[in-house]
Amino acid sequence: MRAHDLIHGFGLPLYGPRGRNSYASFDFGKPVEEVDSVALGIVRGASQAAHQRICVLLDATRTTPELSGREREVLEWIARGKSTSSIATILALSPETVKTYAKRIYEKLGTSDRVGATVKALKLGLIKI
């Protein structure tokens, strides 16, 4: 953690099914002893829940869905963390059109949000970031 300037945080091992274990690091900008214990519990719980969700998405066995070229472009920008309005500007589309593409992407990937779509697309090799 120190090698990456994480001085005041903590590391958290994350355990998943089928040996899919991971590790997360958090830095609060102040010693952990000064951070509210409820907040620490929420971070720990949310981290483990997110890891479990990722494991479920990785285990989902479906055929690779066909995405149009534009859907793939929108998905790549979603995976890079761009907002709907930013994607609209970058691709010279309206925000409503980007929302429509995102909805189609979620349906084709069987997900309901940006993170799920990104994880599944990376797993299936649909995008590279």
Side-chain angles (χ1 to χ4, degrees):
M1 289 175 51
R2 280 188 173 71
H4 296 284
D5 295 326
L6 299 174
I7 299 167
H8 298 294
F10 67 95
L12 181 65
L14 302 170
Y15 301 100
R18 301 189 332 162
R20 284 201 170 110
N21 300 328
S22 189
Y23 187 80
S25 299
F26 301 91
D27 189 327
F28 297 95
K30 59 185 176 183
V32 175
E33 297 79 21
E34 295 177 17
V35 178
D36 179 55
S37 63
V38 173
L40 289 175
I42 290 170
V43 168
R44 285 186 171 108
S47 299
Q48 185 62 48
H51 180 67
Q52 291 292 323
R53 178 68 177 136
I54 289 169
C55 289
V56 167
L57 290 172
L58 290 172
D59 285 341
T61 56
R62 294 189 182 172
T63 59
T64 303
E66 292 292 324
L67 298 180
S68 71
R70 189 59 100 174
E71 288 170 340
R72 195 176 302 265
E73 281 181 293
V74 169
L75 181 56
E76 286 172 352
W77 287 114
I78 287 172
R80 290 186 174 104
K82 296 293 183 183
S83 67
T84 298
S85 60
S86 294
I87 296 169
T89 301
I90 292 166
L91 299 178
L93 301 169
S94 75
E96 290 304 314
T97 300
V98 173
K99 287 179 187 177
T100 299
Y101 280 120
K103 183 178 176 183
R104 288 180 191 163
I105 291 165
Y106 300 159
E107 287 174 9
K108 287 182 178 184
L109 294 177
T111 61
S112 59
D113 58 34
R114 292 170 160 256
V115 173
T118 299
V119 169
K120 191 147 188 190
L122 287 168
K123 178 192 175 231
L124 295 172
L126 293 172
I127 59 169
K128 294 183 191 229
I129 52 174

